[in-house]
Amino acid sequence: MSKELKIVISTLRYSDNLGDGVIGDCVEYLLKKYNPSINIYHLDMAGRLGFLNDYSNKANESKGITKTYFYKLPYYAQKNVFKFLLWPFIYKKRLNTAISNAIKFKPDLLMFGGGQVLNDILLNFPLKFNYVCQCFIRENINIVVSGVGVSKNWSKEAKFLFNKNLNSKNILKLYVRDNDSKSNLIYYQTNKNILVTLDSAIWAKEAYNVTVKKNQRKIIGLGIANPYELGTHIESNQFNSLKFDSFWLDIIDGIDIDKYDINLFTNGSSEDYYYLQYFSNLLFDKRPTLKFKVIDRPIIPSQLVNQISEMDLVIAHRLHANIISYSLGIPSIALEWDKKVKSFMQVVQREKWCFSSLDEGEKISSLIDLALNEGIDLTLQSELKDICFTSIKDCLQVIN
């Protein structure tokens, strides 16, 4: 393949939840692995034009508090605020600017690169996905969808907006990242040939050229997420601060601190880091003799990958903390809050290391030795990476 191509990759590239940035970087890596002459432009589906540059404690606290209180609103109130205020007056205008820049790039193809994009929370993704697609379709630019996740939570309006575009003749390939996502598209009567691949972040080790650190004293990384933000995605009464506090304390109390060091980290989002700061202060008060380390908030995707590479075992809710760990050959114990977490663990044949109840903290910590000893099946990992790379190459075959 010798033609110099221009491709727009659309993800949540510049989200402060840096797992999305890892997806974008890994898709770019795979495209250039196949054809080094490809020119890439990243289109952030939220219209961001770069990573945030104000990570001061004051800015982080302000944003974290605002988003945490927003997530505490009743769902109908959140949806109305987004649909009638945030979308038309902020996000749509911002996205329009980002799309205009992407179209000026004169791409041969738009590639949706992954993430839980086909998901209906407050009509957020249905509105953004529809707007991006329609802008590119008007320019007669073909589209492929690669490695996206699909949730089974579509409203009637979301179903209309998603299928209007997914069934368009301009979308030439449709790859989802797991069988549950395929089943959900079939359920919502998407009239396309639905193919299955994997999340591109399983290539994180190669994309960032990371060497995994070998520690004399093994480090257990606890990935802290904001329970109120997680709770917006599901119908559960588990996700509140009191239950999360108790859950993490149970895990920490069960870790043998004579053998292991404890690191607390986040995937970078302001609301997660806000909760991490709260929890670390609580931990100082509740366990004053405990030695642990709070990892600095990562501000770009490579920092998150490098932070995880220094750990020997990860316990986390965030999907991409688990995917990055897997890519690096580091075992993880996944905490299911959304079906997508369990779906990934099933794909990599680590379902037994996935737990959903916040009452299982003590059990989880008791399995740390076993998880470390078992490690990762690197033969299977290589096979799954090949499947992912093959799907990326297949998406490029649509270009004449």
Side-chain angles (χ1 to χ4, degrees):
M1 192 171 184
S2 58
K3 180 184 175 183
E4 185 172 299
L5 302 175
K6 292 183 177 181
I7 296 179
V8 170
I9 301 172
S10 185
T11 59
L12 292 172
R13 172 73 173 89
Y14 300 115
S15 169
D16 62 358
N17 186 352
L18 296 171
D20 293 302
V22 173
I23 293 172
D25 285 349
C26 289
V27 172
E28 178 174 354
Y29 169 81
L30 292 172
L31 288 171
K32 291 188 173 182
K33 178 179 171 69
Y34 180 53
N35 180 356
S37 67
I38 287 178
N39 292 314
I40 302 294
Y41 185 91
H42 286 279
L43 170 62
D44 185 291
M45 282 185 67
R48 291 166 291 231
L49 299 177
F51 293 105
L52 294 176
N53 55 20
D54 188 354
Y55 282 85
S56 65
N57 287 336
K58 185 175 180 181
N60 175 73
E61 183 176 3
S62 175
K63 186 177 179 184
I65 291 172
T66 300
K67 294 179 79 171
T68 298
Y69 276 102
F70 176 75
Y71 294 135
K72 289 182 179 180
L73 291 173
Y75 184 81
Y76 73 88
Q78 293 181 41
K79 185 173 182 178
N80 286 335
V81 168
F82 182 84
K83 183 178 180 180
F84 297 112
L85 292 175
L86 297 178
W87 169 246
F89 295 110
I90 298 177
Y91 293 118
K92 186 177 180 181
K93 291 181 178 180
R94 191 169 73 179
L95 183 54
N96 189 59
T97 299
I99 291 172
S100 296
N101 292 340
I103 289 175
K104 288 176 185 176
F105 183 64
K106 297 183 178 180
D108 298 288
L109 186 71
L110 168 66
M111 173 181 283
F112 285 99
Q116 199 76 359
V117 171
L118 301 182
N119 176 29
D120 181 16
I121 301 295
L122 314 178
L123 281 179
N124 182 0
F125 284 115
L127 289 168
K128 292 173 180 175
F129 183 80
N130 174 67
Y131 194 69
V132 172
C133 285
Q134 290 301 303
C135 288
F136 278 80
I137 288 171
R138 281 197 297 270
E139 299 293 328
N140 200 31
I141 297 169
N142 286 327
I143 303 169
V144 293
V145 179
S146 176
V148 299
V150 185
S151 297
K152 197 173 183 180
N153 62 352
W154 296 6
S155 61
K156 289 183 179 179
E157 190 172 357
K159 181 180 177 181
F160 170 76
L161 291 171
F162 281 141
N163 278 341
K164 165 187 169 183
N165 294 288
L166 292 172
N167 294 331
S168 164
K169 64 182 178 62
N170 289 76
I171 290 190
L172 304 181
K173 291 283 183 180
L174 175 53
Y175 276 94
V176 295
R177 66 183 175 191
D178 52 60
N179 285 318
D180 285 321
S181 291
K182 180 175 181 177
S183 297
N184 290 341
L185 280 185
I186 292 170
Y187 174 81
Y188 287 118
Q189 302 173 320
T190 300
N191 185 26
K192 262 294 194 289
N193 181 26
I194 305 164
L195 304 168
V196 180
T197 183
L198 286 96
D199 191 298
S200 65
I202 66 167
W203 281 90
K205 181 179 181 181
E206 293 79 5
Y208 296 101
N209 194 25
V210 174
T211 301
V212 177
K213 184 178 179 181
K214 299 296 183 182
N215 299 302
Q216 190 169 8
R217 273 179 59 87
K218 294 191 181 300
I219 296 174
I220 310 301
L222 305 182
I224 307 298
N226 189 307
Y228 298 104
E229 196 279 333
L230 297 185
T232 64
H233 297 263
I234 57 174
E235 294 182 4
S236 173
N237 60 3
Q238 283 200 94
F239 292 94
N240 60 65
S241 181
L242 288 176
K243 290 189 175 182
F244 255 48
D245 294 348
S246 177
F247 171 72
W248 283 117
L249 288 172
D250 284 346
I251 289 179
I252 290 168
D253 288 343
I255 295 175
D256 185 348
I257 59 174
D258 291 329
K259 292 172 61 177
Y260 303 120
D261 291 333
I262 299 172
N263 284 1
L264 307 183
F265 74 99
T266 73
N267 277 26
S269 76
S270 59
E271 57 268 39
D272 285 0
Y273 196 69
Y274 170 71
Y275 185 77
L276 171 59
Q277 290 176 310
Y278 152 79
F279 180 74
S280 62
N281 288 331
L282 177 76
L283 195 53
F284 277 121
D285 291 338
K286 296 282 188 181
R287 306 290 187 270
T289 62
L290 178 70
K291 292 182 179 180
F292 64 95
K293 182 178 180 180
V294 177
I295 303 300
D296 291 341
R297 180 185 179 189
I299 60 175
I300 56 175
S302 60
Q303 290 178 343
L304 173 63
V305 175
N306 282 310
Q307 287 176 358
I308 292 176
S309 75
E310 296 180 352
M311 301 170 192
D312 296 280
L313 176 78
V314 166
I315 304 174
H317 285 94
R318 290 292 183 190
L319 173 62
H320 282 87
N322 290 283
I323 296 178
I324 293 165
S325 300
Y326 182 77
S327 174
L328 296 170
I330 296 170
S332 75
I333 298 177
L335 308 175
E336 181 188 2
W337 56 278
D338 184 289
K339 189 65 182 341
K340 66 184 181 181
V341 178
K342 186 174 183 180
S343 294
F344 170 72
M345 297 299 277
Q346 289 173 328
V347 168
V348 299
Q349 298 181 19
R350 293 183 56 80
E351 186 178 0
K352 72 177 183 180
W353 298 109
C354 186
F355 296 85
S356 59
S357 173
L358 294 181
D359 296 323
E360 295 183 292
E362 185 177 346
K363 178 180 179 181
I364 289 168
S365 59
S366 73
L367 295 172
I368 287 175
D369 288 348
L370 184 59
L372 283 166
N373 290 334
E374 184 174 300
I376 298 290
D377 183 343
L378 296 179
T379 300
L380 174 63
Q381 183 200 70
S382 179
E383 293 171 357
L384 296 177
K385 285 181 177 180
D386 285 343
I387 291 171
C388 179
F389 185 36
T390 298
S391 69
I392 293 288
K393 292 187 287 187
D394 183 49
C395 284
L396 292 181
Q397 303 312 307
V398 304
I399 302 175
N400 295 325

